[in-house]
């Protein structure tokens, strides 16, 4: 099975929080052949970690460990390349879903998933709006 994770769902694989157990159950009950990520996830992951550190949800030592672990694991993931076509699609998605509040980075995540739509079975996100829009765009959500 191939799946796409946005950054909010990927982070749950690295740090236990609400939703982590459900994700781990999914992984334990399904064979995952490929985990697709948007290329922007490399930057967003670090941003999420340091934001949690800034808010004192995690400490600086753990923050560095999480980033190191993600960097170590990064060759295991299939990245959707950031191309002009992807950016164009992201812009079109913002124009289409502006009333719902689709924002820049989420539009890139959604566009990335749509680029590999035929190759994935599920789109994962912890963001309810992004899940709703992904489903609207024909992705099967989890």
């Amino acid at each position: 099975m191939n799946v796409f994770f946005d950054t909010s769902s990927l982070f749950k694989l690295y740090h236990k929080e609400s939703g982590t157990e459900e994700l781990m159950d999914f992984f334990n009950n399904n064979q995952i052949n490929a985990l697709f990520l948007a290329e922007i996830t490399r930057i967003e992951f670090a941003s999420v970690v340091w934001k949690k550190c800034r808010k004192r949800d995690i400490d600086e030592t753990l923050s560095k460990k999480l980033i190191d672990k993600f960097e170590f694991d990064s060759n295991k993931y299939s990245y959707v390349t950031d191309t002009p076509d992807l950016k164009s699609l992201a812009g079109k998605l913002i124009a289409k879903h502006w009333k719902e509040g689709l924002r820049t980075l989420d539009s890139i995540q959604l566009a990335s998933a749509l680029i590999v739509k035929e190759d994935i079975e599920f789109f994962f996100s912890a963001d309810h709006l992004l899940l709703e829009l992904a489903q609207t765009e024909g992705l099967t959500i989890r």
Side-chain angles (χ1 to χ4, degrees):
M1 171 181 307
N2 298 334
V3 295
F4 184 98
F5 271 44
D6 81 335
T7 308
S8 66
S9 54
L10 180 70
F11 184 77
K12 294 176 185 314
L13 296 180
Y14 287 86
H15 186 261
K16 188 172 181 170
E17 58 182 21
S18 176
T20 297
E21 288 184 33
E22 292 85 353
L23 275 181
M24 296 314 296
D25 287 344
F26 182 84
F27 272 81
N28 290 332
N29 293 317
N30 296 280
Q31 180 169 338
I32 307 301
N33 300 318
L35 199 156
F36 286 87
L37 302 174
E39 210 166 359
I40 193 76
T41 301
R42 294 176 191 264
I43 299 167
E44 273 193 312
F45 188 86
S47 178
V48 167
V49 169
W50 291 116
K51 180 179 180 182
K52 290 194 177 286
C53 184
R54 188 173 54 253
K55 293 172 80 178
R56 301 190 189 279
D57 294 335
I58 59 177
D59 65 26
E60 191 171 342
T61 301
L62 179 57
S63 297
K64 290 176 183 176
K65 286 180 182 178
L66 292 171
I67 290 171
D68 288 346
K69 176 67 172 141
F70 172 70
E71 288 177 4
F72 179 81
D73 291 345
S74 66
N75 65 340
K76 298 177 188 175
Y77 303 127
S78 299
Y79 288 93
V80 179
T81 305
D82 188 1
T83 64
D85 286 343
L86 185 139
K87 291 175 185 169
S88 175
L89 178 57
K92 290 175 184 172
L93 289 167
I94 288 174
K96 182 177 181 181
H97 298 293
W98 66 271
K99 286 183 183 177
E100 293 89 347
L102 182 61
R103 296 172 56 166
T104 306
L105 294 177
D106 286 344
S107 74
I108 293 170
Q109 291 285 349
L110 183 54
S112 297
L114 290 171
I115 297 270
V116 295
K117 180 179 179 177
E118 300 305 317
D119 298 319
I120 61 171
E121 280 78 21
F122 294 106
F123 174 87
F124 284 81
S125 177
D127 181 310
H128 297 292
L129 173 61
L130 188 53
L131 284 173
E132 180 183 313
L133 297 177
Q135 191 170 34
T136 299
E137 292 295 328
L139 295 169
T140 303
I141 61 170
R142 288 292 301 206

